[in-house]
Amino acid sequence: MLHPHLHWIQSESWTVQKSSTYRAMGWRTCSFIISLNLIILWTISSASVKPSPIVPVTGGLIQGGMEEIQKVKVFFYLGIPFAEPPVGPLRFTYPKDPKPWKGVRNTTQHAPKCLQELVNDDDDDDESPPLRISEDCLYLDVYTPELNTDLHNYNPLPVIVCIHGDRLITGSSSDFQGYLMVSLHRVVVVSIQYRLGIAGFLSTGDKWAEGNFGMVDQLAALLWVQKNIERFAGDMESVTLFGQFSGAISSSLFALLPMTSSLFHRVIIEGGSALIPGIITPNKTQLAHEASQIGNCNTRNSMEILSCLRNKTEDEMRTIIINVNKKYQVIPVVMDGKVIVDDPRRILADRHFRRIWYLIGLDTYGVVDHIIHTYVLPEWLQGISKETAMGFINKHLTPLFGVKSAEKIFKEYFTNVTHPLSILDNLIEMTTDALVIIPLIQTAQFLRGSMAGERRLYNLMMKHWINFALDGDPNSPDLSYWPSFDAKEQYKLFNLTISVRQRFRQYRMDFWSKVIPRNVTIILIL
């Protein structure tokens, strides 16, 4: 029996031959939701958006918009500041409360993305608004089906706070827009932004810049939710944290911290966990020294590095961030003694973590989108050779699992395959297993002892999520049963045919847990 409950979800696995189908359906699970929201928004004239009521929040008054979607009123407030702009002397410092503003602040447009490289996607609509980027980016969005005019007499709604993914390198609050979810279910959706790359995760390894600023941004946004969500009819005592990949890494790390007990009460993590190999780097000054070199600061002294970088213009900072990001598949975090106080594996093994409800899942196509990039293997669409696969192992997995493991890993995944596309499929499976699936299963195993392809499939998954956000149980009489992840290790497979299965990839789990020793040392560096 779980304490309190743990559930496992798997989206359909894929091969490279299916990639065009998945892109037509709409990227990964979270992005599939986004694509549906955007279709609704783009078919509505901006003239039909009506002003929403004025709401008092921390810092002053805000006014957003109201849109009727599927005959349901959705109130939205976009670009609400939850911290002071982290610019100039506030670069590489913890977030501060926003300064009060005069009058009524217009919150009908998304805030600029945090500093990052803009990537044009072929699926983007020509009518979408132009993308903006700024260092002044600590904002969040709120979507709600109703507002609260009487704080002492109202029926509070469950709250879902979304932390976007994309490897701590790209992404924004607009990656998860809550229009559709709010129009279909009586929930309040909050989507947040946080500093990325070196702006959010540089550390000098000492008191001058302790690091993990982007994660503290996320905590500051959660604190804002506790202070203000009642104004949007949200229940401050029923907050579910939702994260995908890097957002899931943050969510799962936060769930291990006693200090977060008042900030959220349930967790949904998809495609990422605190146990991803190399996510915590032992070299705390790694990003700082790389930024110093790329930014022509040419020093390893902590105060001199910070002084140099704080004097850079925003455009110069963005260039430095982009160039440092190119070295990484995932930006590493550090054990700073505040946000990350210990090795997550040790915390889980020792049972020193909060007893809350978890919903754990993965979408293998999303994993590939995050981990396997065309700049890693430019010829991937045509398939690869075994020599290329071995080179990939030596470059990316050997630093994580040790030299002796390389040959074992190669034999496990490539002994009986010869076709270039099959070799590529196995490389994708290998990377997915090593970096996401096995850590996710291990996380579920630790936790259990202590506590659509199309629209129909999407609606079923979302109904499970809403049920879970309501009371911690994804089940309801109108849905097929989703068993708890207990000693039987049952999980629910969401495919064109939904079924309950047992011991997901057990043979791979045995291989990575028993054959390959744990030798996690550094983050993957391209």
Side-chain angles (χ1 to χ4, degrees):
M1 180 66 182
L2 294 177
H3 182 70
H5 265 85
L6 177 71
H7 294 269
W8 172 264
I9 175 179
Q10 185 219 352
S11 298
E12 181 184 5
S13 61
W14 74 293
T15 62
V16 68
Q17 292 92 333
K18 295 181 182 178
S19 62
S20 59
T21 303
Y22 273 76
R23 284 204 175 274
M25 287 168 54
W27 306 342
R28 47 202 179 274
T29 303
C30 185
S31 294
F32 179 48
I33 299 169
I34 296 166
S35 67
L36 291 173
N37 289 330
L38 294 179
I39 289 172
I40 291 174
L41 289 175
W42 292 338
T43 58
I44 296 173
S45 169
S46 60
S48 66
V49 176
K50 300 177 181 178
S52 67
I54 297 173
V55 176
V57 296
T58 300
L61 302 176
I62 60 173
Q63 184 173 36
M66 188 279 291
E67 186 58 75
E68 191 167 308
I69 301 175
Q70 298 180 356
K71 299 183 179 180
V72 176
K73 290 183 178 180
V74 176
F75 300 95
F76 58 92
Y77 296 79
L78 312 178
I80 306 172
F82 65 84
E84 196 172 339
V87 300
L90 296 184
R91 283 177 180 165
F92 315 115
T93 64
Y94 294 133
K96 301 181 182 299
D97 288 338
K99 292 182 179 179
W101 58 86
K102 296 181 180 179
V104 179
R105 189 184 188 103
N106 185 313
T107 55
T108 57
Q109 291 187 352
H110 291 288
K113 296 170 179 268
C114 293
L115 297 184
Q116 59 190 272
E117 183 175 15
L118 286 179
V119 178
N120 294 323
D121 195 290
D122 293 337
D123 296 331
D124 287 344
D125 191 286
D126 292 337
E127 298 180 6
S128 60
L131 298 175
R132 298 176 297 152
I133 291 181
S134 173
E135 196 171 8
D136 177 7
C137 64
L138 298 185
Y139 298 87
L140 54 78
D141 307 329
V142 178
Y143 307 83
T144 180
E146 64 180 66
L147 295 168
N148 182 12
T149 57
D150 185 355
L151 294 180
H152 303 289
N153 184 25
Y154 78 107
N155 294 318
L157 303 175
V159 180
I160 298 178
V161 179
C162 304
I163 304 179
H164 70 77
D166 287 332
R167 306 176 293 129
L168 304 179
I169 288 176
T170 59
S172 69
S173 63
S174 61
D175 289 350
F176 195 105
Q177 300 182 34
Y179 298 97
L180 185 62
M181 184 175 285
V182 169
S183 70
L184 296 176
H185 307 277
R186 290 184 58 76
V187 295
V188 179
V189 173
V190 181
S191 186
I192 69 176
Q193 294 193 158
Y194 53 94
R195 284 170 283 180
L196 304 167
I198 62 167
F201 297 94
L202 177 145
S203 171
T204 56
D206 50 32
K207 66 178 182 179
W208 302 110
E210 293 174 296
N212 297 336
F213 304 115
M215 296 186 70
V216 182
D217 293 343
Q218 297 166 7
L219 292 173
L222 288 169
L223 183 60
W224 185 96
V225 169
Q226 286 296 309
K227 292 178 178 179
N228 296 277
I229 206 62
E230 287 185 335
R231 296 286 185 180
F232 303 91
D235 187 349
M236 60 185 295
E237 296 182 357
S238 180
V239 177
T240 297
L241 196 57
F242 173 85
Q244 188 174 36
F245 197 65
S246 56
I249 294 171
S250 294
S251 299
S252 58
L253 284 169
F254 291 156
L256 302 179
L257 298 176
M259 63 180 285
T260 63
S261 59
S262 63
L263 298 181
F264 60 90
H265 313 90
R266 304 175 185 91
V267 178
I268 301 174
I269 58 177
E270 280 204 6
S273 82
L275 299 185
I276 285 182
I279 188 61
I280 301 177
T281 176
N283 185 1
K284 293 184 178 181
T285 60
Q286 181 174 322
L287 289 174
H289 292 166
E290 289 172 345
S292 175
Q293 181 181 9
I294 292 174
N296 293 319
C297 299
N298 300 319
T299 179
R300 286 179 170 256
N301 178 274
S302 297
M303 293 182 64
E304 292 175 357
I305 291 174
L306 294 177
S307 176
C308 174
L309 294 177
R310 284 173 177 153
N311 284 315
K312 299 291 185 183
T313 66
E314 182 176 281
D315 287 341
E316 289 172 334
M317 272 297 296
R318 179 170 176 247
T319 298
I320 295 171
I321 288 173
I322 291 172
N323 287 325
V324 172
N325 287 347
K326 290 177 180 178
K327 295 176 174 285
Y328 295 88
Q329 289 179 320
V330 183
I331 291 293
V333 300
V334 298
M335 198 175 298
D336 58 356
K338 294 181 178 179
V339 179
I340 304 177
V341 298
D342 199 356
D343 180 355
R345 187 177 296 275
R346 184 180 298 115
I347 294 174
L348 287 166
D350 294 343
R351 313 288 187 206
H352 294 160
F353 53 88
R354 293 175 57 196
R355 285 2 182 218
I356 60 174
W357 303 70
Y358 287 82
L359 192 64
I360 299 177
L362 67 99
D363 173 6
T364 47
Y365 179 76
V367 172
V368 173
D369 189 33
H370 285 300
I371 298 295
I372 309 293
H373 302 283
T374 54
Y375 65 80
V376 175
L377 294 174
E379 71 276 25
W380 74 297
L381 287 178
Q382 290 75 42
I384 61 174
S385 66
K386 286 189 176 183
E387 290 75 18
T388 301
M390 190 67 207
F392 185 93
I393 292 173
N394 288 332
K395 186 175 182 179
H396 299 299
L397 298 189
T398 298
L400 298 172
F401 299 100
V403 176
K404 294 182 179 179
S405 300
E407 186 176 348
K408 294 178 181 178
I409 295 172
F410 182 82
K411 289 181 178 179
E412 175 72 15
Y413 286 87
F414 302 102
T415 297
N416 299 317
V417 293
T418 57
H419 194 282
L421 284 175
S422 298
I423 296 173
L424 175 62
D425 284 346
N426 283 24
L427 182 138
I428 292 172
E429 181 180 337
M430 172 194 70
T431 310
T432 305
D433 286 346
L435 302 184
V436 178
I437 293 179
I438 302 306
L440 272 175
I441 298 174
Q442 290 172 336
T443 301
Q445 289 176 334
F446 275 122
L447 294 171
R448 75 177 183 209
S450 63
M451 31 148 225
E454 297 182 7
R455 181 64 178 270
R456 173 181 170 276
L457 178 60
Y458 161 68
N459 285 335
L460 288 173
M461 292 177 66
M462 189 162 64
K463 185 67 165 71
H464 276 300
W465 293 347
I466 300 302
N467 289 343
F468 182 80
L470 288 170
D471 61 11
D473 186 350
N475 293 299
S476 59
D478 58 327
L479 297 171
S480 60
Y481 185 64
W482 189 339
S484 297
F485 191 81
D486 55 18
K488 296 180 181 179
E489 296 192 12
Q490 292 178 298
Y491 63 93
K492 190 167 185 177
L493 175 64
F494 284 80
N495 205 328
L496 295 182
T497 300
I498 298 176
S499 60
V500 173
R501 300 187 181 183
Q502 191 173 10
R503 302 192 187 283
F504 183 56
R505 291 200 187 180
Q506 183 62 45
Y507 66 102
R508 296 295 195 204
M509 184 68 188
D510 291 340
F511 174 75
W512 287 98
S513 299
K514 300 175 183 178
V515 179
I516 300 299
R518 288 194 295 271
N519 184 28
V520 178
T521 55
I522 60 173
I523 193 68
L524 286 174
I525 301 179
L526 298 178

